[in-house]
Amino acid sequence: MPRHFRPLGRRVLWIATLAMMLGAVVALVARLLTGLIGLVTNLAFYGRVSTEFSSPAGNHLGLWVIGVPVVGGLIVGVMARWGSRAIRGHGIPEAMEQVLLNESRIPPRITWLKPVSSAIAIGTGGPFGAEGPIIATGGALGSLVGQLLHVTADERKTLLASGAAAGMAAVFSAPISSILLAIELLLFERRARSLIPVALAAAIGTGVRYVLEGNEPMFPMPDIATPAFSALIAYMVMGVIVGVASVGITKLTYAIEDGFEKLPIHWMWWPAIGGVVVGVVGYLMPTTLGVGYTNIAAVIAGQIGLGGMLALCLMKLLSWSVALGSGTSGGTLAPLFTIGGALGGVLGLLCVAWLPWLQVDAKVAALVCMAAIFAGASRAFLTSVVFAFETTQQPHGLLPLLCGCATAYLVSGLMMRNTIMTEKIARRGVRVPTEYAADYLERISVADACSRDVVSLRASQRLGEVREWLSTEQVAARHQGFPVLDEGGRLLGVVTRRDLLNGAVGGDAIVQSLVHRAPLVVREDHTLREAADHMVEADVGRLVVVGGKDMQQVVGIITRGDLLKAHAQRLREAHEPSRHLGGKSAT
C-alpha cells in the first residue's frame, strides 16, 4: 500500500535545527568576508592594515590604480587554475547546476576558495558586490554539512539553500527576499519541508547581523509618498524599458564571455585582462570600483544629478560586464542594482522635467528600476520586489515596485529564453525549471482515473484454459495484467500476460502457481501521485485498486497509461480556450 503524503515529518525538526545553526555560522562568515574585503581594499588602495569596509573611490594612486585590478585578476586566475574553476563567475549558476545534476554536492574546497578569491577580486577594485560570493559560500557550507551527515539529497538541497539564504540575509538584512531567492533560484519548489528550514536560517542570519551591525536599512532613502495613478503607469513603462535593457545586458555579458573564449591564451589570464578595463574605467570614474553600495544609496536618495547617474550607469555596465565575462570571482546583484537604479534615476528626472503631470518621483523611479533590472535579468520577480522594500523599508514603494518589476519580467520572458543566471549552465545542456506549478497528479484521486472493467482470474484455473481464452476473448486481449482471486473473492496477487503465456510452464499448472509475491494495491482515496510513486518504488506498471471493509475487494486497476491519460485535462486547461457562463457553454 503506498504511503499517504504528509507535508511534514519529524525529521524536519532535525533539518531545521541544522539550518538555524548554519544560519548563525554563515552570518559570521559574512562578517568575516566583509572584513577581508575591507582588509584587501585598504592594503591595495591605501597601504594600511584595516578591516574597515572602505570604498576604493577615495584613493590617490593616480594612473597606478589601473594596475591594482590587474594584479587582483591575476591572483584569482591562479586560484581558479590550481584551486577550482568553480570559483569563476558569480557562483549562483554553479550552485544551481549542483542542485540539478549532482544531488547538491558542492566540493568542500569551495567553502574557502570562493570567499577568499572574491575578497581579492572585490578588494582590488572589482565592480562586484559581496552578496554573490557569500550566497555561494553559504550554499557551499550547507552542502558540506549535508555531505558530512546522513541526509537525503532533498535535505542536502534544503541545507544548501538555507546557507545561501542566510548569507544574503546577513549581508542585506533582508530575510524575506533571501527566502524568495532560495525558492526562485535554488530550491525549484515551495514545500513546507524545505521552506521552514530556509526561513529559520534566514531569520537567524538576519538576527546575527542585527547584533553585529544594527538594524538600519541597507539603502536608506527619504520617505516615499503614496504614488498617483498616473505615476504607476509611468513606472510600468519604465519597467518595459528596463526589461529590454536587462535582456541587452544579459546578451552583452555572454557575448563578452564568448569573446574571451576566442582568445588564444589560457583562461587563467582572462581576469587580468578584464582587470585592465576595470582599472581604466576606475581611473576615469573611481566610484565604479568596488562593491558600490554607497552608489546605490546615493542614487535612490536623489543625491546624484542627471549626468552623474548616466555616467555611472554606462561606466559601471562596461566595467562589470567585462570583469564578469573574463571569469573573475564576483557577483551580479549589486552591479545590476547600481546600473538599474542609475538608469531609473535618469528616466525619473526626465519625466519630472518633461512630463510633470505624471507626478513621477525620480527617487522612486530609481528604486523601481533598480529592482526591475534584476527581475528582468534573473526573473526572480518576487525576490526583486521584496528586496527593494526590505533594504529601504519604504512601504509606499511596494506598489510602484510591483508595476515596474512585473512589466520587466514580462518583457524579459517574451524576449529571452534563458536568464543571466541560467544561460551559462543551459549552454552545458542543463535544463533549469522555470515554472513551479502544483503537481497535477496530486489533484486527482485513484477513484477518478482507474479502470473499472477489471478482468480477473480464479486461482484454481488451469493455464491451458486461460491461454485458450486469451487467444479468443477480445476483452482479455486489451489487458496486460490480471488480478488473481481465491474462491472467496479475495485478492491473492497479479499475473501478467507474459506470465500466462510463458511456455516453460505447462498448461496443467494452475494460475495461483504464477503468483510469487503479495499483491501491490492502492486505495481509491489515494492520489495519482501516491500511486505513481508506489509504481516506481515497486518497479511495476499497474496497481490493483481495492475497497470494501477489509480492503480486499477488487474495484479497479490503475496503470501507467491511466496516469498519462490524467494529464489530458491539464493540457486542455492550458491550451484550449473555452467560453463558459454559469457552467454551460456560451454557444
Side-chain angles (χ1 to χ4, degrees), residues 451-456 482-485 489-494 519 521 524 543-548 550-557:
S451 301
R452 299 286 181 173
D453 55 338
V454 182
V455 178
S456 58
F482 303 90
V484 178
L485 309 180
R490 298 172 64 85
L491 178 67
L492 297 177
V494 177
V521 299
E524 291 181 279
L543 298 171
V544 178
V545 183
V546 296
D550 57 357
M551 288 298 164
Q552 289 293 320
Q553 180 182 351
V554 176
V555 298
I557 282 186

Short mmCIF file of all heavy atoms in Angstrom, two decimals, residues 451-456 482-485 489-494 519 521 524 543-548 550-557:
data_model
loop_
_atom_site.label_atom_id
_atom_site.label_comp_id
_atom_site.label_asym_id
_atom_site.label_seq_id
_atom_site.Cartn_x
_atom_site.Cartn_y
_atom_site.Cartn_z
N SER A 451 -9.38 2.13 -14.09
CA SER A 451 -10.26 1.36 -14.97
C SER A 451 -11.13 0.45 -14.10
O SER A 451 -10.63 -0.28 -13.25
CB SER A 451 -9.44 0.52 -15.95
OG SER A 451 -8.60 1.36 -16.73
N ARG A 452 -12.46 0.49 -14.34
CA ARG A 452 -13.38 -0.28 -13.51
C ARG A 452 -13.70 -1.65 -14.10
O ARG A 452 -14.15 -2.55 -13.39
CB ARG A 452 -14.69 0.50 -13.34
CG ARG A 452 -14.53 1.85 -12.65
CD ARG A 452 -14.28 1.71 -11.17
NE ARG A 452 -14.15 2.99 -10.50
CZ ARG A 452 -14.06 3.15 -9.18
NH1 ARG A 452 -14.11 2.08 -8.41
NH2 ARG A 452 -13.92 4.35 -8.65
N ASP A 453 -13.50 -1.81 -15.41
CA ASP A 453 -13.85 -3.09 -16.05
C ASP A 453 -12.70 -4.08 -15.86
O ASP A 453 -11.94 -4.40 -16.77
CB ASP A 453 -14.16 -2.88 -17.53
CG ASP A 453 -13.02 -2.20 -18.27
OD1 ASP A 453 -12.20 -1.52 -17.61
OD2 ASP A 453 -12.94 -2.37 -19.50
N VAL A 454 -12.57 -4.55 -14.62
CA VAL A 454 -11.46 -5.43 -14.26
C VAL A 454 -11.76 -6.86 -14.73
O VAL A 454 -12.84 -7.40 -14.45
CB VAL A 454 -11.22 -5.42 -12.75
CG1 VAL A 454 -10.03 -6.30 -12.40
CG2 VAL A 454 -11.00 -3.99 -12.27
N VAL A 455 -10.81 -7.43 -15.40
CA VAL A 455 -10.90 -8.84 -15.80
C VAL A 455 -9.98 -9.63 -14.88
O VAL A 455 -8.77 -9.46 -14.89
CB VAL A 455 -10.48 -9.03 -17.27
CG1 VAL A 455 -10.54 -10.51 -17.64
CG2 VAL A 455 -11.37 -8.20 -18.18
N SER A 456 -10.57 -10.48 -14.05
CA SER A 456 -9.79 -11.23 -13.06
C SER A 456 -9.79 -12.71 -13.38
O SER A 456 -10.58 -13.20 -14.20
CB SER A 456 -10.35 -10.99 -11.66
OG SER A 456 -11.71 -11.39 -11.60
N PHE A 482 -3.70 -9.19 -14.75
CA PHE A 482 -4.96 -9.78 -14.28
C PHE A 482 -4.86 -10.08 -12.79
O PHE A 482 -3.95 -10.81 -12.35
CB PHE A 482 -5.25 -11.08 -15.04
CG PHE A 482 -5.32 -10.91 -16.53
CD1 PHE A 482 -4.18 -11.05 -17.31
CD2 PHE A 482 -6.53 -10.61 -17.16
CE1 PHE A 482 -4.25 -10.90 -18.68
CE2 PHE A 482 -6.59 -10.44 -18.53
CZ PHE A 482 -5.45 -10.58 -19.30
N PRO A 483 -5.77 -9.53 -11.98
CA PRO A 483 -5.82 -9.91 -10.58
C PRO A 483 -6.20 -11.39 -10.44
O PRO A 483 -7.02 -11.90 -11.22
CB PRO A 483 -6.91 -9.01 -9.99
CG PRO A 483 -7.08 -7.90 -10.98
CD PRO A 483 -6.76 -8.49 -12.31
N VAL A 484 -5.62 -12.04 -9.45
CA VAL A 484 -5.92 -13.45 -9.18
C VAL A 484 -6.68 -13.52 -7.85
O VAL A 484 -6.19 -13.03 -6.82
CB VAL A 484 -4.63 -14.28 -9.10
CG1 VAL A 484 -4.96 -15.74 -8.78
CG2 VAL A 484 -3.85 -14.18 -10.41
N LEU A 485 -7.89 -14.12 -7.88
CA LEU A 485 -8.75 -14.18 -6.71
C LEU A 485 -8.90 -15.62 -6.24
O LEU A 485 -8.90 -16.57 -7.05
CB LEU A 485 -10.13 -13.61 -7.04
CG LEU A 485 -10.16 -12.22 -7.71
CD1 LEU A 485 -11.60 -11.80 -7.98
CD2 LEU A 485 -9.46 -11.19 -6.84
N GLY A 489 -13.16 -14.80 -3.34
CA GLY A 489 -13.10 -13.50 -4.00
C GLY A 489 -12.04 -12.57 -3.42
O GLY A 489 -12.04 -11.38 -3.72
N ARG A 490 -11.14 -13.10 -2.61
CA ARG A 490 -10.09 -12.29 -2.01
C ARG A 490 -8.88 -12.25 -2.93
O ARG A 490 -8.53 -13.23 -3.58
CB ARG A 490 -9.70 -12.84 -0.64
CG ARG A 490 -10.85 -12.83 0.37
CD ARG A 490 -10.46 -13.58 1.64
NE ARG A 490 -9.36 -12.93 2.33
CZ ARG A 490 -9.49 -11.93 3.19
NH1 ARG A 490 -10.71 -11.46 3.48
NH2 ARG A 490 -8.45 -11.41 3.79
N LEU A 491 -8.22 -11.12 -2.97
CA LEU A 491 -7.09 -10.90 -3.87
C LEU A 491 -5.86 -11.64 -3.37
O LEU A 491 -5.44 -11.48 -2.22
CB LEU A 491 -6.79 -9.40 -3.98
CG LEU A 491 -5.61 -8.99 -4.86
CD1 LEU A 491 -5.90 -9.32 -6.33
CD2 LEU A 491 -5.33 -7.50 -4.71
N LEU A 492 -5.26 -12.44 -4.27
CA LEU A 492 -4.03 -13.16 -3.94
C LEU A 492 -2.80 -12.51 -4.56
O LEU A 492 -1.70 -12.60 -4.02
CB LEU A 492 -4.13 -14.61 -4.40
CG LEU A 492 -5.22 -15.47 -3.76
CD1 LEU A 492 -5.22 -16.86 -4.37
CD2 LEU A 492 -5.01 -15.55 -2.25
N GLY A 493 -2.96 -11.92 -5.72
CA GLY A 493 -1.82 -11.33 -6.42
C GLY A 493 -2.22 -10.93 -7.83
O GLY A 493 -3.41 -10.90 -8.17
N VAL A 494 -1.24 -10.63 -8.65
CA VAL A 494 -1.46 -10.21 -10.02
C VAL A 494 -0.50 -10.98 -10.92
O VAL A 494 0.68 -11.17 -10.58
CB VAL A 494 -1.22 -8.69 -10.20
CG1 VAL A 494 -1.38 -8.28 -11.66
CG2 VAL A 494 -2.18 -7.89 -9.33
N PRO A 519 0.16 -9.01 -3.48
CA PRO A 519 -0.34 -8.03 -4.45
C PRO A 519 0.03 -6.61 -4.07
O PRO A 519 0.04 -6.25 -2.89
CB PRO A 519 -1.85 -8.25 -4.41
CG PRO A 519 -2.13 -8.83 -3.06
CD PRO A 519 -0.94 -9.68 -2.75
N VAL A 521 -1.22 -2.98 -4.11
CA VAL A 521 -2.55 -2.41 -4.19
C VAL A 521 -2.52 -0.92 -3.84
O VAL A 521 -1.55 -0.40 -3.30
CB VAL A 521 -3.54 -3.14 -3.27
CG1 VAL A 521 -3.65 -4.60 -3.66
CG2 VAL A 521 -3.11 -2.99 -1.80
N GLU A 524 -8.84 3.70 -3.25
CA GLU A 524 -9.50 4.69 -4.09
C GLU A 524 -9.21 6.12 -3.62
O GLU A 524 -9.23 7.05 -4.42
CB GLU A 524 -11.02 4.46 -4.12
CG GLU A 524 -11.44 3.20 -4.85
CD GLU A 524 -12.95 3.05 -4.87
OE1 GLU A 524 -13.50 2.59 -3.85
OE2 GLU A 524 -13.55 3.42 -5.89
N LEU A 543 -1.34 -1.21 -10.64
CA LEU A 543 -1.70 -1.48 -9.25
C LEU A 543 -3.17 -1.86 -9.21
O LEU A 543 -3.99 -1.30 -9.95
CB LEU A 543 -1.48 -0.25 -8.37
CG LEU A 543 -0.06 0.30 -8.23
CD1 LEU A 543 -0.08 1.64 -7.50
CD2 LEU A 543 0.82 -0.70 -7.49
N VAL A 544 -3.50 -2.79 -8.34
CA VAL A 544 -4.90 -3.17 -8.14
C VAL A 544 -5.53 -2.17 -7.17
O VAL A 544 -4.96 -1.85 -6.13
CB VAL A 544 -5.01 -4.60 -7.59
CG1 VAL A 544 -6.48 -4.95 -7.35
CG2 VAL A 544 -4.36 -5.59 -8.53
N VAL A 545 -6.70 -1.68 -7.54
CA VAL A 545 -7.43 -0.75 -6.68
C VAL A 545 -8.40 -1.56 -5.82
O VAL A 545 -9.21 -2.34 -6.35
CB VAL A 545 -8.20 0.29 -7.51
CG1 VAL A 545 -8.89 1.29 -6.59
CG2 VAL A 545 -7.26 1.01 -8.47
N VAL A 546 -8.31 -1.42 -4.50
CA VAL A 546 -9.11 -2.22 -3.59
C VAL A 546 -10.03 -1.32 -2.78
O VAL A 546 -9.79 -0.13 -2.59
CB VAL A 546 -8.22 -3.06 -2.65
CG1 VAL A 546 -7.41 -4.07 -3.43
CG2 VAL A 546 -7.29 -2.15 -1.84
N GLY A 547 -11.08 -1.92 -2.27
CA GLY A 547 -12.05 -1.23 -1.44
C GLY A 547 -12.71 -2.21 -0.52
O GLY A 547 -12.22 -3.32 -0.29
N GLY A 548 -13.87 -1.83 0.00
CA GLY A 548 -14.57 -2.71 0.93
C GLY A 548 -14.07 -2.51 2.34
O GLY A 548 -13.10 -1.82 2.61
N ASP A 550 -12.63 -4.66 4.39
CA ASP A 550 -11.33 -5.25 4.69
C ASP A 550 -10.27 -4.90 3.66
O ASP A 550 -9.18 -5.46 3.67
CB ASP A 550 -11.46 -6.77 4.80
CG ASP A 550 -12.03 -7.38 3.52
OD1 ASP A 550 -12.37 -6.61 2.58
OD2 ASP A 550 -12.12 -8.62 3.46
N MET A 551 -10.61 -4.02 2.75
CA MET A 551 -9.69 -3.61 1.69
C MET A 551 -9.17 -4.80 0.88
O MET A 551 -8.02 -4.83 0.47
CB MET A 551 -8.50 -2.81 2.29
CG MET A 551 -8.90 -1.43 2.77
SD MET A 551 -9.52 -0.41 1.42
CE MET A 551 -10.32 0.92 2.32
N GLN A 552 -10.01 -5.77 0.65
CA GLN A 552 -9.66 -6.94 -0.14
C GLN A 552 -10.53 -7.08 -1.39
O GLN A 552 -10.32 -7.98 -2.19
CB GLN A 552 -9.78 -8.22 0.70
CG GLN A 552 -8.71 -8.34 1.77
CD GLN A 552 -7.33 -8.54 1.17
OE1 GLN A 552 -7.16 -9.25 0.21
NE2 GLN A 552 -6.35 -7.87 1.76
N GLN A 553 -11.49 -6.19 -1.54
CA GLN A 553 -12.39 -6.25 -2.69
C GLN A 553 -11.77 -5.49 -3.86
O GLN A 553 -11.43 -4.32 -3.76
CB GLN A 553 -13.75 -5.65 -2.34
CG GLN A 553 -14.74 -5.67 -3.50
CD GLN A 553 -16.06 -5.01 -3.13
OE1 GLN A 553 -16.29 -4.69 -1.97
NE2 GLN A 553 -16.89 -4.80 -4.13
N VAL A 554 -11.63 -6.15 -4.99
CA VAL A 554 -11.04 -5.53 -6.18
C VAL A 554 -12.10 -4.65 -6.84
O VAL A 554 -13.17 -5.13 -7.22
CB VAL A 554 -10.53 -6.59 -7.17
CG1 VAL A 554 -10.02 -5.93 -8.44
CG2 VAL A 554 -9.45 -7.44 -6.52
N VAL A 555 -11.80 -3.35 -6.97
CA VAL A 555 -12.76 -2.43 -7.60
C VAL A 555 -12.22 -1.83 -8.89
O VAL A 555 -12.95 -1.17 -9.63
CB VAL A 555 -13.14 -1.30 -6.63
CG1 VAL A 555 -13.83 -1.86 -5.40
CG2 VAL A 555 -11.91 -0.48 -6.22
N GLY A 556 -10.95 -2.04 -9.19
CA GLY A 556 -10.40 -1.49 -10.43
C GLY A 556 -8.91 -1.74 -10.53
O GLY A 556 -8.30 -2.38 -9.68
N ILE A 557 -8.35 -1.22 -11.61
CA ILE A 557 -6.90 -1.29 -11.84
C ILE A 557 -6.44 0.08 -12.34
O ILE A 557 -7.11 0.72 -13.15
CB ILE A 557 -6.54 -2.38 -12.87
CG1 ILE A 557 -6.57 -3.76 -12.22
CG2 ILE A 557 -5.16 -2.14 -13.48
CD1 ILE A 557 -6.10 -4.88 -13.12
#
